[in-house]
Amino acid sequence: MDGQEGAGNGGLSGASPGPHAAVAGGTTSGGRDRRPAHNTLAGHAVVHGSVVQAERIESLTVVPREAGPLPVPRQLPVATVPFVNRTAELSGLTSALEANRLVAVSGLGGVGKTQLVARWAEEVAERFPDGQLYADLEDGRRDGAVDVSAVLADFLVALGAGDRMPATPASRAALFRTATAGRRLLIVLDNVQHAPEARPLFPGPGGARLLVLSRRRLPSLVLDGAAELTVDPLDERAGTELVRCWRHDAAEGTAERLVRLCGGLPLALRAAGHRIVSRPHLTLEDAVRELDAAEGPDAGGARWSVDDEVPAEAVFDRAVRELPDAARELYETLGCYPGTTFTREAVEAAGAPGGPEAIGELLTAHLALRHASPRDPEVSRFRLHDVVRAHARRHAREHVPAERRTAALRGFVGFCVTRAAHADHATFGSRLRLQPDPAGTCPFTGRAQALEWLEAERSNLLAVLRAAAELGEHDAVWQLCESLWALYHSRKHYSDWIESHRLGITAAQWSARPDAEIRMRNQLARAHYELGEWERAGAEIAPAEELLPLVDERRLHGVVWETRGLIALGTGRAEESAELFTRALRANEGDAHGVVVQSYNLAQALVGCGRAGEALTVLDEAMAGAADDALMQMRAQLVRARAHRAGGDADAAVVCAVDAAVRAAELGQYAKLEQALDLTAELADEVSDDRLRRSGLEQAARLREAVAADAGRETDGGRGGPRAR
């Protein structure tokens, strides 16, 4: 069920050809006109995609768009060169994974675990013809916890199972086991801190293998059947070999000393190597002497030990000091950033140089990495290695004035608020909003691109929102929450949704904005409603209703009554819900889109009350003026199908259900697609025409297959893609 909070204009700017429906004779818009139908394409008509044709609904055909084969996921980072002397570890990986489906690899941060696995995967690629899945859990870690459900969602999309995404983590884990069963896949989870983070991602039986990378041993995984492999720092011989890759004439003793100073960590050795190679006048002996002095007790450098997990602090200190001014300013600004990945636009909004030169310096110095997001591949993103990120944050705390740190953080907050608001507008068009329209030109070409940006930035946005709350930027907090509705309503990240809106409620209270508090509580109530937590949803909406006398905006009254109506309908109180939706409808008089949304809700309630004829009349009247609202037209078709079924006209119901499914597929509304296809299956035994029954079931199955295939392909930025759940 969808309401005013979640409904947009449904338009898809630049939508590419997809499955389309054309049902002649008027049966899709009410289904009560029983005149013979004539299916005709005349003149210069051009039909893109599939066509649903029905001659008096004696036959039904859905021809899905041809979909190419699913791309094989190759998500592991690319192995860097040179790569030295890990022969024993490579052999150990091969042996362990031949005998075990689960292998736990542990080692210090920066020791090269990810690169080891990436190199090994390149060498044995033929063993995993169904691809590689990779997730760095550090990207989504907040307060020590990881949203494993989001990782499962990403993996399911990559495997072509994104069209039937369950809402709960347990259901996603079950579907993941089903999707991986029998496949020869390599699954790699990086930066795992606790065994329970990995268990939901165990693959199904068959040829899939799971590699868990962690900075510490995870003994409890052994009880799950894991083989253990430890990646130690490079010894002096191996480290010397790496040093000689870029300084061929390195004296053995000097190279060994450099290896010891860097703790045998390839990450630190490469950072030191960049400094030496980029300064031909600097000898290896000079570099080692300087680092050795920085480690001394009187030099002010940070001493380290392996147990500290901050070895080679002096290497990073030296690398930062010798960066060009712009790159050093960028690094220090990133030390103030609460997120994990960054873009040029974000750092420039924070007042730092974000041009190719500054970012390029960090990349060259091995302080930053390129980050390819499968959600939003067209955007250039970067990240600091997690060891380097920890150093950057310590460096910022110790060396950047508090005023500058606060200004940088406010810049990041402002960027996120503005960009998220643009994404909300691109996703939902003209809906009730309390915050001002965002400044500047919208950077998104359509709904799908905006949603993918929100998805790719999800962990960063929540991190920035939390930082804004701590900073006391209360208006920014509730405004960002208001915009994040576009993401949460579409993608159902319930844990993020609930946490962010609790912060939003507090922020609205600090801002003395009862209207914003009503919106925050209403959006939070909808999260609990969608989880089936009726009492908690009611507990959140009750304080919002108490605040209504303080606001004049009638549509805010309407959204509260709408949510109460949805709760009533969900708990079997259809008559009460019809009354509440009628009140919400009146509150939206003058708002054409609001009237359409509340009419749709009212029609659902009327069907629940056994007043199917009234429901069809309400829908026909409301939708007649919303021909361009593709999203609501699709939803209306689904309700029409239920109304026809309740009225005893199963033939018309199945036509509307299939039409709703085709429209949902085109818009990327896969929750609605699933509802429409399930309804089609339920109607199969009720239709009077056996040919229609068989055709409906067969074509629904074909549509599922076509959409599942499409879900595995990269989506174009301007179309409604399979990830727009």
Side-chain angles (χ1 to χ4, degrees):
M1 300 173 189
D2 306 89
Q4 175 72 8
E5 284 287 13
N9 63 4
L12 285 175
S13 175
S16 68
H20 289 258
V23 182
T27 53
T28 61
S29 58
R32 288 168 288 163
D33 186 349
R34 308 298 296 172
R35 293 171 297 174
H38 299 279
N39 302 312
T40 305
L41 292 175
H44 300 285
V46 178
V47 177
H48 297 279
S50 306
V51 177
V52 177
Q53 295 182 319
E55 181 181 347
R56 229 189 123 253
I57 60 173
E58 289 179 359
S59 64
L60 182 66
T61 304
V62 178
V63 183
R65 176 179 62 231
E66 284 190 16
L70 285 172
V72 176
R74 301 289 181 191
Q75 297 182 350
L76 269 171
V78 177
T80 58
V81 291
F83 185 89
V84 299
N85 202 27
R86 290 293 194 185
T87 305
E89 289 88 345
L90 291 170
S91 176
L93 271 176
T94 299
S95 299
L97 284 169
E98 283 178 350
N100 301 272
R101 298 177 59 233
L102 172 62
V103 174
V105 180
S106 60
L108 289 172
V111 80
K113 300 183 294 295
T114 306
Q115 285 299 309
L116 171 71
V117 171
R119 175 57 60 94
W120 177 82
E122 286 183 359
E123 294 180 358
V124 298
E126 73 283 352
R127 298 189 183 190
F128 302 102
D130 294 320
Q132 313 155 349
L133 300 175
Y134 173 83
D136 186 345
L137 300 195
E138 198 63 30
D139 288 347
R141 191 177 301 283
R142 305 177 193 94
D143 287 342
V146 172
D147 185 0
V148 179
S149 181
V151 178
L152 284 164
D154 288 341
F155 283 177
L156 288 169
V157 168
L159 294 172
D163 63 308
R164 52 188 188 277
M165 189 70 66
T168 65
S171 298
R172 290 183 182 183
L175 180 57
F176 180 69
R177 292 191 294 273
T178 300
T180 53
R183 294 198 189 190
R184 295 170 64 187
L185 279 165
L186 176 64
I187 305 160
V188 180
L189 302 180
D190 211 342
N191 281 310
V192 177
Q193 290 187 4
H194 311 287
E197 296 173 353
R199 289 191 178 109
L201 292 145
F202 286 5
R209 297 290 185 267
L210 175 62
L211 270 171
V212 175
L213 312 187
S214 177
R215 293 191 182 185
R216 295 176 175 83
R217 289 185 62 242
L218 301 174
S220 59
L221 283 183
V222 177
L223 300 178
D224 296 321
E228 290 188 295
L229 181 69
T230 300
V231 180
D232 293 317
L234 295 173
D235 60 25
E236 292 177 0
R237 183 176 62 83
T240 297
E241 183 180 345
L242 178 59
V243 171
R244 285 178 171 167
C245 288
W246 35 267
R247 184 56 66 90
H248 301 291
D249 58 350
E252 183 172 348
T254 306
E256 289 178 352
R257 179 60 183 156
L258 179 61
V259 173
R260 289 195 296 272
L261 286 169
C262 292
L265 298 183
L267 178 68
L269 278 167
R270 293 182 192 282
H274 163 70
R275 176 172 176 268
I276 296 168
V277 171
S278 62
R279 293 164 177 78
H281 64 280
L282 187 68
T283 67
L284 186 63
E285 289 76 11
D286 292 335
V288 171
R289 192 178 305 112
E290 290 178 0
L291 288 173
D292 206 6
E295 287 292 309
D298 301 324
R303 296 192 62 78
W304 56 269
S305 70
V306 168
D307 291 337
D308 292 334
E309 287 216 20
V310 287
E313 184 87 0
V315 173
F316 297 128
D317 285 342
R318 173 78 54 181
V320 171
R321 283 197 300 271
E322 297 187 354
L323 286 171
D325 290 346
R328 185 170 59 255
E329 183 181 353
L330 171 59
Y331 185 83
E332 292 175 344
T333 301
L334 289 172
C336 308
Y337 179 48
T340 55
T341 64
F342 64 93
T343 62
R344 173 180 177 178
E345 294 85 357
V347 295
E348 287 179 343
E357 296 81 8
I359 293 176
E361 288 287 347
L362 296 188
L363 294 172
T364 303
H366 298 283
L367 296 174
L369 309 167
R370 294 187 182 276
H371 178 83
S373 170
R375 291 288 192 180
D376 195 19
E378 295 182 2
V379 175
S380 295
R381 285 184 173 81
F382 309 90
R383 60 179 296 160
L384 302 181
H385 187 285
D386 49 347
V387 173
V388 177
R389 188 186 313 123
H391 174 271
R393 289 174 178 172
R394 287 193 297 271
H395 178 88
R397 287 194 301 269
E398 296 171 3
H399 300 289
V400 179
E403 297 81 6
R404 184 179 154 202
R405 295 200 306 271
T406 299
L409 183 53
R410 285 198 171 110
F412 285 122
V413 170
F415 170 80
C416 290
V417 169
T418 300
R419 188 61 63 96
H422 278 302
D424 176 30
H425 279 259
T427 302
F428 282 144
S430 58
R431 71 179 181 105
L432 171 64
R433 294 180 179 85
L434 303 181
Q435 62 183 296
D437 289 344
T441 303
C442 180
F444 305 110
T445 58
R447 179 180 187 274
Q449 187 186 38
L451 274 174
E452 297 309 338
W453 181 87
L454 287 167
E455 186 71 66
E457 294 288 335
R458 182 170 68 92
S459 62
N460 293 330
L461 290 168
L462 185 57
V464 167
L465 189 145
R466 297 165 83 183
E470 293 177 4
L471 193 61
E473 294 289 315
H474 304 305
D475 284 337
V477 171
W478 71 256
Q479 289 174 8
L480 184 53
C481 282
E482 183 178 47
S483 298
L484 285 174
W485 175 256
L487 172 66
Y488 298 150
H489 182 266
S490 301
R491 301 296 173 86
K492 315 303 183 189
H493 298 299
Y494 293 112
S495 60
D496 289 8
W497 186 345
I498 292 170
E499 179 189 353
S500 62
H501 280 71
R502 294 203 181 283
L503 293 174
I505 290 170
T506 301
Q509 291 170 338
W510 275 105
S511 295
R513 290 287 302 263
D515 56 344
E517 184 179 350
I518 290 170
R519 166 133 283 187
M520 295 297 98
R521 288 191 179 279
N522 188 71
Q523 293 185 177
L524 177 58
R526 290 290 291 274
H528 292 300
Y529 158 77
E530 294 200 13
L531 287 168
E533 298 170 351
W534 315 114
E535 290 186 8
R536 295 187 68 177
E540 291 298 340
I541 205 62
E545 192 166 18
E546 292 174 2
L547 292 170
L548 289 179
L550 301 179
V551 299
D552 295 328
E553 173 57 71
R554 294 296 298 169
R555 289 176 295 174
L556 269 181
H557 294 240
V559 297
V560 171
W561 293 331
E562 173 193 22
T563 298
R564 282 194 54 206
L566 290 171
I567 296 170
L569 190 59
T571 52
R573 295 173 284 135
E575 291 290 351
E576 180 184 344
S577 71
E579 179 184 346
L580 287 162
F581 289 138
T582 300
R583 293 173 67 185
L585 179 59
R586 291 172 184 153
N588 278 274
E589 289 177 356
D591 181 337
H593 177 67
V595 167
V596 168
V597 172
Q598 301 309 331
S599 297
Y600 159 79
N601 283 328
L602 177 57
Q604 294 186 93
L606 291 171
V607 172
C609 294
R611 295 149 64 184
E614 291 181 54
L616 290 169
T617 299
V618 167
L619 281 177
D620 290 349
E621 291 176 353
M623 302 310 298
D628 295 332
D629 195 335
L631 189 62
M632 292 309 301
Q633 290 287 353
M634 176 272 295
R635 291 169 175 164
Q637 282 296 80
L638 191 53
V639 178
R640 283 195 181 101
R642 292 171 179 147
H644 283 307
R645 183 188 194 185
D649 192 346
D651 288 0
V654 83
V655 171
C656 289
V658 173
D659 182 44
V662 174
R663 292 172 186 259
E666 183 180 48
L667 292 172
Q669 292 284 314
Y670 284 84
K672 291 298 180 187
L673 170 65
E674 196 71 13
Q675 292 177 28
L677 294 179
D678 287 347
L679 181 58
T680 301
E682 292 173 11
L683 287 165
D685 292 334
E686 301 175 21
V687 296
S688 58
D689 190 316
D690 188 58
R691 288 173 53 198
L692 178 59
R693 181 187 67 80
R694 289 196 308 270
S695 180
L697 289 174
E698 291 169 1
Q699 303 306 335
R702 292 177 62 189
L703 184 57
R704 282 186 191 273
E705 292 171 3
V707 171
D710 196 36
R713 296 188 291 182
E714 292 293 338
T715 59
D716 180 62
R719 58 178 281 256
R723 299 189 186 114
R725 292 184 298 278

